[in-house]
Amino acid sequence: MMIPVRCFSCGKVIGEHWEEFEERARDGEEDPAAVLDDLGVDRHCCRRMMVSHRDLVDVVSPYQ
Ligand SMILES: [Zn+2]
């Protein structure tokens, strides 16, 4: 599925950072922790949203 717009725990908007995070952190180009620091995602609850997310929307959408 797509990344939730807001952090489940604190409600901070994190969806706006997903595309840049994925692009920069994919393939190990940059350290994911450094990218999150750079994007201003500093709380642990928000960081776990980004780190643990997996985009499955393209996999699931044909079955809806
Ligand atoms: Zn949060």
Side-chain angles (χ1 to χ4, degrees):
M1 293 293 115
M2 296 189 296
I3 184 111
V5 174
R6 289 179 179 268
C7 172
F8 289 147
S9 298
C10 72
K12 178 185 165 99
V13 177
I14 50 149
E16 61 187 355
H17 300 306
W18 171 250
E19 285 186 7
E20 183 176 349
F21 172 75
E22 190 189 29
E23 200 162 289
R24 289 172 62 181
R26 186 177 28 197
D27 303 330
E29 282 176 32
E30 287 182 66
D31 181 23
V35 176
L36 288 172
D37 287 339
D38 193 37
L39 292 171
V41 181
D42 48 1
R43 293 184 198 128
H44 290 288
C45 56
C46 305
R47 291 167 84 99
R48 63 96 205 258
M49 300 286 293
M50 304 283 276
V51 171
S52 63
H53 180 71
R54 191 70 200 240
D55 248 341
L56 294 176
V57 67
D58 293 332
V59 177
V60 177
S61 60
Y63 302 102
Q64 292 179 354

